[in-house]
Amino acid sequence: MIMKNSSIGTRESIVVIINHEGRIGTVSINNKQTSHLSLFQENMLFEEVQWKKVFTAAPSGSTQLLRTYEGRTYLFTLHLVQANAYINQIVTLANISQSMFNPYSNQDQHKTDELIMESSAMKRISKIIKTIAHVGSTVLLLGESGVGKSQIAKFIHSTSTRSTQPFISVNCGAIPESLIESELFGYEEGTFTGGKKGGKVGLFEAAHKGTIFLDEIAEFPLNLQAKLLGVLQENAVRKVGSTEEKKVDVRVIAATNKNLQELVEKKLFREDLFYRLNVVPLTIPPLREREKDIHILIDHFLFKYNTKYHLQKEVNDEVKQELIQYRWPGNIRELENTIERIVVTNMTEKEVLEEKSIRENVWSFSPKAPISLKEAKRQVEKELILKAYSEYKSTYKVAKVLQVDQSTISKKLKVYKKEGF
């Protein structure tokens, strides 16, 4: 699953006429924006058209739906026409992308976004999003790091009636605690030494009529959670240093990869704020549970980085299957980085990436050859500890999360460092 910008309209079409020798005689494109789909060159054999440069599959019948890596859908039709004593062929490609691919087309002057997914789990989430598109209910996005929560937040905004208004994203874990209040709610002139003349408009006020996305909401300072709760309940903000409140019309989307209910039990997150955020909870499943999404995302990222680096790399079916079977602990973020690495580190004359070169560039595949249970446990343990340490940066915190002694974590990290991680 991924958001992809698109500027192509829905009326474009391509007509290709093939002569009795199987060569392309005429190519007609009714929209200049389709020029990047120019797979067809006059006088080339039609059977040599490289469909997979643009589409996820080549046509295999006389009428077929073809989908681009960017999510657009074209109707492919093949007609046989007799001219004199010869049989010619006419191929048409018409963009028939419907709302399921361009879910919030505003007008031609506005670019649209697409949610690329095939799995039933993500289709269910997409259906819920469309159901709540015309209301302003608060949405809480839950799921592992890298599953695409920020893209889903943009998708929610873009399918809503607020799509032409501001979308402001705030990483609550990246703003210092001393600044987050003034960043979100603004401040009056003279409140701070060296403050901006005239004061500052907060991000909630800047998002008026639009959407504010509070990513990593679990990191929001406990001492400011009451003020955030007040904004959500009263639809009003009070700048730092001010006694007046100002009404704001903002839809709030929050996201976290942590268990907020556990944080509530530990008194690290306000219970009333949790209930106020948890109006429409959406749990985004990890990529390892969305095999159909992995398949199209591999194609999408290959297309993206082939285009970016002016290459034509491909992945054979056996290697693609191995990529699909991999667990992807880093989810979509890891998959994208892996595909980019595959593309840029295999700049050989042989344009098709074979299995060996793929395996040399994708780390931690589950081996096909059986290993001992002891070794399997060691690998899982290592992955858990390194992942936790990467997130918490402290052996004490890692030990607490994994419920083991801190000395155990320290000893194992020393071993991993000797192994070069």
Side-chain angles (χ1 to χ4, degrees), residues 311-313 342-354 357:
L311 298 170
Q312 296 180 15
K313 304 297 181 181
I342 287 172
V343 170
V344 300
T345 60
N346 285 272
M347 296 181 181
T348 62
E349 293 181 2
K350 190 174 184 181
E351 293 296 320
V352 178
L353 297 171
E354 296 297 342
S357 60

Side-chain angles (χ1 to χ4, degrees), residues 172-185:
C172 299
I175 304 176
E177 185 173 339
S178 59
L179 297 178
I180 195 167
E181 182 178 16
S182 60
E183 286 293 315
L184 285 177
F185 310 120

Side-chain angles (χ1 to χ4, degrees), residues 283-295:
T283 300
I284 316 302
L287 194 56
R288 59 184 172 272
E289 296 176 7
R290 294 151 48 188
E291 184 175 307
K292 290 184 178 180
D293 290 345
I294 298 174
H295 178 84

Side-chain angles (χ1 to χ4, degrees), residues 11 13 28 36 49 52 68-70 75 83 111 125 134 189 212 243 262 266-267 273 280 313 360 372 395 405 421:
R11 297 187 179 89
S13 63
S28 174
H36 73 293
V49 172
K52 288 193 175 181
T68 70
Y69 296 118
E70 296 173 295
L75 175 63
K111 292 185 177 181
I125 288 174
H134 302 295
E189 181 178 357
I212 190 165
T243 57
E262 287 186 0
K266 295 177 181 179
K267 307 300 182 182
L273 177 57
V280 181
K313 304 297 181 181
E360 288 174 349
S372 68
T395 56
D405 293 335
F421 281 81

Side-chain angles (χ1 to χ4, degrees), residues 72-85:
R72 293 186 297 277
T73 300
Y74 287 76
L75 175 63
F76 168 91
T77 55
L78 173 65
H79 309 273
L80 299 180
V81 179
Q82 184 168 357
N84 299 324

Side-chain angles (χ1 to χ4, degrees), residues 152-215:
I152 290 289
K154 293 174 186 175
F155 182 64
I156 293 171
H157 170 75
S158 300
T159 56
S160 74
T161 53
R162 300 172 182 265
S163 59
T164 59
Q165 301 300 323
F167 175 85
I168 294 179
S169 180
V170 183
N171 187 324
C172 299
I175 304 176
E177 185 173 339
S178 59
L179 297 178
I180 195 167
E181 182 178 16
S182 60
E183 286 293 315
L184 285 177
F185 310 120
Y187 60 82
E188 292 287 358
E189 181 178 357
T191 303
F192 304 111
T193 302
K196 190 176 180 180
K197 186 177 180 180
K200 182 179 179 179
V201 172
L203 296 178
F204 265 97
E205 190 174 344
H208 184 59
K209 296 292 184 182
T211 303
I212 190 165
F213 174 47
L214 302 177
D215 198 7

Side-chain angles (χ1 to χ4, degrees), residues 165-362:
Q165 301 300 323
F167 175 85
I168 294 179
S169 180
V170 183
N171 187 324
C172 299
I175 304 176
E177 185 173 339
S178 59
L179 297 178
I180 195 167
E181 182 178 16
S182 60
E183 286 293 315
L184 285 177
F185 310 120
Y187 60 82
E188 292 287 358
E189 181 178 357
T191 303
F192 304 111
T193 302
K196 190 176 180 180
K197 186 177 180 180
K200 182 179 179 179
V201 172
L203 296 178
F204 265 97
E205 190 174 344
H208 184 59
K209 296 292 184 182
T211 303
I212 190 165
F213 174 47
L214 302 177
D215 198 7
E216 295 191 26
I217 189 65
E219 307 301 324
F220 202 88
L222 186 61
N223 64 311
L224 291 176
Q225 288 180 16
K227 186 165 184 176
L228 176 59
L229 176 64
V231 174
L232 297 178
Q233 290 177 334
E234 306 299 330
N235 297 315
V237 294
R238 187 177 72 251
K239 292 182 177 181
V240 179
S242 174
T243 57
E244 298 180 358
E245 289 190 338
K246 183 174 183 179
K247 287 290 184 180
V248 289
D249 176 12
V250 178
R251 183 182 203 166
V252 175
I253 302 173
T256 181
N257 60 359
K258 296 184 178 180
N259 189 322
L260 287 183
Q261 288 182 309
E262 287 186 0
L263 294 179
V264 169
E265 292 172 3
K266 295 177 181 179
K267 307 300 182 182
L268 297 175
F269 200 87
R270 289 182 64 107
E271 185 176 21
D272 47 6
L273 177 57
F274 167 67
Y275 290 133
R276 187 62 186 81
L277 293 171
N278 198 40
V279 178
V280 181
L282 291 177
T283 300
I284 316 302
L287 194 56
R288 59 184 172 272
E289 296 176 7
R290 294 151 48 188
E291 184 175 307
K292 290 184 178 180
D293 290 345
I294 298 174
H295 178 84
I296 62 170
L297 286 170
I298 290 170
D299 289 337
H300 169 76
F301 291 132
L302 277 172
F303 177 80
K304 174 180 178 179
Y305 290 107
N306 275 328
T307 302
K308 180 177 180 179
Y309 298 114
H310 309 290
L311 298 170
Q312 296 180 15
K313 304 297 181 181
E314 297 178 8
V315 173
N316 65 33
D317 291 339
E318 184 178 357
V319 174
K320 180 177 286 188
Q321 190 58 39
E322 190 166 0
L323 288 167
I324 289 171
Q325 291 174 353
Y326 175 56
R327 298 287 290 172
W328 298 112
N331 292 293
I332 296 174
R333 186 181 296 117
E334 182 189 10
L335 174 59
E336 179 172 7
N337 292 340
T338 298
I339 296 300
E340 180 177 13
R341 183 166 67 252
I342 287 172
V343 170
V344 300
T345 60
N346 285 272
M347 296 181 181
T348 62
E349 293 181 2
K350 190 174 184 181
E351 293 296 320
V352 178
L353 297 171
E354 296 297 342
E355 185 174 357
K356 181 180 178 181
S357 60
I358 290 270
R359 285 177 178 162
E360 288 174 349
N361 287 283
V362 182

